Amino acid sequence: MIFLLLLGVPTGLAHLYLWKRLVRDTTTTPRGRRLGTAAVVGMFLLLFAGLVGGRYLGPDLGAVLAWPGYLWLAMTLYLTLLLAVLEVPRAVLNRVWRREQVPAPVTVPTEPAAAPVEEPPAGPVDTSRRLFIARSLAVAGGLAATGVVGYGATQALGGPVVKRVPVPLGKLAPSLSGFRIAVVSDIHLGPLLGRSHTERIVNTINGLQPDLVAIVGDLVDGTVEELGEAAAPLRDLVSRHGSFFVTGNHEYFSGAQPWLAELSRLGVDPLRNERLTIARDGASFDLAGVNDVTGRGYGDGPDMVKALDGRDTSTPVVLLAHQPVQATQAAELGVDLQLSGHTHGGQMWPFNYAVTLQQPVVSGLATVGGMPVYVSNGAGFWGPPVRVGAPPDVSLIELRNA
């Protein structure tokens, strides 16, 4: 309810603004205004039906409502942004055309016997020009927003981009140089993404022939009963040293314990505040994984000290942690590389700027406290099936001897 309230206030204000610009300013008849008002109110209700339909109306009807509801959420964002930007040309055009309506002063020669000359009254405001401006900008904003959302939908629903990222580690033995970790995060199986989405990701990963697969959280948005079949293709993942998983915040919203058991059954090993040794050709490094910070509210929070306790510090350790914000502690504890997700790369510009307020890294490879941190954009999406400026990805991290 708190989430819906936090979302409801800004979206409600956005719809009020859209009503003013798309209905009030562009209609001239009571009937037209009533129809426009009903349309705006209906789309606002549809948006919320898409958000809560799966929980209260069942998964089938929820999925039907989710598509238009979430797409309209994206349209609301970009329509509001674009119409706000168009306020500048609106103000300029209205000012210019208003000046054109003011009659120029008339100079009348003065004659002794002439009768007084009366100035003509100012004419009425030319509402047709104002209406033309309002309608033109409404059409321009609508077309531009539709184009942005359409492009973003093709990005979100298309196949993930493969990113190949070399990462030098000073402690890595030469015989392990070239070790490849396929990283995928934020798959977000749910009402909009199902089994075919998982199959495409599995095929992409297997095509890379990785040494190890790391799924760093937010696999699902629903229960095992609802989405177990959608996750089933994960059993087909192929790698030399196995597939591993750490929880994200959405696992706790969806029932973490049943999902951990299901993933184990599918051959994907959860790392729950623990580590193991990955060995090859007489050399090794540690792979550690910690629970997501959201788990604290469910009695299942991260314990990085436990995961790293007693390890041989002469060999590198790679940490799987869903949120980049966990990197500060990891750097303090001597982790050599952290692999994360959670941010979606911002998913829809300009949200990437907002993400920087909470997370130290939004996308790609960066350093936190001198430690390299790689953050995947994720292979799915949350909410609107739209990605703008942050295409979905599967990343192949290649460890190299520095």
Side-chain angles (χ1 to χ4, degrees):
M1 293 302 296
I2 294 176
F3 168 75
L4 291 177
L5 179 63
L6 292 175
L7 184 63
V9 172
T11 55
L13 292 174
H15 279 76
L16 177 60
Y17 174 70
L18 294 179
W19 174 81
K20 289 180 178 179
R21 289 294 176 245
L22 300 180
V23 179
R24 188 191 66 179
D25 293 352
T26 63
T27 54
T28 57
T29 65
R31 183 173 182 272
R33 185 161 295 184
R34 285 195 299 270
L35 291 174
T37 300
V40 172
V41 172
M43 296 306 291
F44 179 71
L45 296 176
L46 177 62
L47 186 155
F48 275 87
L51 288 175
V52 304
R55 174 169 295 185
Y56 298 106
L57 302 175
D60 294 335
L61 182 57
V64 171
L65 293 173
W67 280 103
Y70 279 124
L71 282 171
W72 177 246
L73 178 60
M75 280 291 294
T76 299
L77 167 67
Y78 286 111
L79 261 178
T80 303
L81 287 176
L82 288 164
L83 290 175
V85 170
L86 291 174
E87 292 293 346
V88 175
R90 178 193 301 273
V92 171
L93 289 172
N94 281 328
R95 179 178 293 273
V96 169
W97 284 358
R98 187 162 50 244
R99 286 177 177 175
E100 291 179 356
Q101 294 180 82
V102 177
V106 178
T107 303
V108 179
T110 304
E111 297 179 4
V117 177
E118 295 183 0
E119 292 288 341
V125 176
D126 187 354
T127 57
S128 64
R129 286 185 171 182
R130 186 180 295 274
L131 185 64
F132 175 76
I133 293 172
R135 288 177 173 174
S136 298
L137 295 182
V139 170
L143 290 175
T146 301
V148 171
V149 172
Y151 166 78
T154 64
Q155 293 290 293
L157 299 172
V161 175
V162 174
K163 296 182 178 179
R164 300 174 186 269
V165 184
V167 180
L169 298 181
K171 298 178 185 177
L172 191 71
S175 61
L176 285 171
S177 189
F179 192 96
R180 298 180 300 172
I181 303 175
V183 179
V184 64
S185 73
D186 302 277
I187 295 174
H188 283 291
L189 299 176
L192 303 186
L193 293 172
R195 185 184 177 96
S196 61
H197 177 58
T198 312
E199 290 174 341
R200 180 166 57 185
I201 292 169
V202 168
N203 291 336
T204 300
I205 291 174
N206 288 347
L208 298 174
Q209 298 182 329
D211 296 300
L212 185 147
V213 177
I215 305 174
V216 286
D218 279 7
L219 170 66
V220 292
D221 284 308
T223 65
V224 173
E225 290 75 16
E226 294 169 341
L227 299 172
E229 180 62 23
L234 293 175
R235 68 163 62 94
D236 298 324
L237 284 168
V238 178
S239 63
R240 297 173 181 84
H241 294 270
S243 302
F244 301 90
F245 174 82
V246 291
T247 56
N249 49 312
H250 283 252
E251 271 69 59
Y252 292 101
F253 306 151
S254 303
Q257 297 305 320
W259 272 113
L260 292 171
E262 178 67 9
L263 287 169
S264 294
R265 190 182 71 82
L266 294 174
V268 179
D269 297 324
L271 292 176
R272 306 184 62 201
N273 300 324
E274 57 190 327
R275 74 175 188 280
L276 50 82
T277 298
I278 305 296
R280 187 178 77 180
D281 298 331
S284 66
F285 69 91
D286 287 333
L287 180 71
V290 292
N291 300 341
D292 183 61
V293 295
T294 306
R296 291 172 182 152
Y298 296 81
D300 193 38
D303 190 340
M304 205 173 294
V305 172
K306 175 186 174 183
L308 301 174
D309 185 47
R311 59 173 299 272
D312 181 0
T313 57
S314 66
T315 60
V317 57
V318 176
L319 176 70
L320 310 183
H322 179 60
Q323 297 196 36
V325 74
Q326 295 170 276
T328 301
Q329 183 186 14
E332 293 172 351
L333 293 174
V335 170
D336 297 277
L337 169 64
Q338 177 173 315
L339 304 175
S340 297
H342 183 65
T343 67
H344 296 204
Q347 186 165 323
M348 296 191 302
W349 183 93
F351 283 121
N352 53 305
Y353 297 112
V355 175
T356 61
L357 301 176
Q358 184 193 32
Q359 302 291 340
V361 184
V362 177
S363 178
L365 185 64
T367 58
V368 174
M371 176 191 70
V373 179
Y374 182 78
V375 180
S376 168
N377 284 352
F381 52 80
W382 184 85
V386 175
R387 279 182 170 270
V388 178
D393 66 48
V394 169
S395 301
L396 191 66
I397 305 300
E398 184 177 315
L399 306 182
R400 292 185 179 177
N401 173 252

